[in-house]
Amino acid sequence: MHLSSTAAGWIAVGAAAVAVASLVLLALNRRALARVRSSQNVLLGGGTGDLVDFAVSLQARIDELNRAVHTVSGGLE
């Protein structure tokens, strides 16, 4: 009977170690998720405009400027 109680004790210790490791991984994953959400809030913004919309509109203005420069350049040649 002494052998089986010792084995049961080791199984309990192993289960407790797995539980503690799982809690540590959970805490690390929650922190990583919080960082991802924070980064998403920066990109998506809380208002009507966001960083992605600004970048797209800026690229459109740059494309229009390039077309105008090519038109003027073609007229000068």
Side-chain angles (χ1 to χ4, degrees):
M1 194 125 183
H2 178 59
L3 182 61
S4 66
S5 66
T6 303
W10 282 111
I11 290 173
V13 168
V18 169
V20 168
S22 296
L23 288 174
V24 169
L25 287 174
L26 174 68
L28 292 174
N29 284 334
R30 285 182 61 108
R31 188 172 5 154
L33 181 60
R35 278 189 246 138
V36 168
R37 285 183 177 166
S38 174
S39 297
Q40 281 181 331
N41 283 337
V42 168
L43 284 178
L44 299 177
T48 57
D50 62 13
L51 190 58
V52 175
D53 287 338
F54 175 74
V56 168
S57 91
L58 185 61
Q59 183 63 48
R61 286 183 274 168
I62 290 171
D63 291 343
E64 289 173 20
L65 180 61
N66 283 334
R67 280 192 291 274
V69 168
H70 286 297
T71 301
V72 169
S73 175
L76 292 176
E77 289 177 358

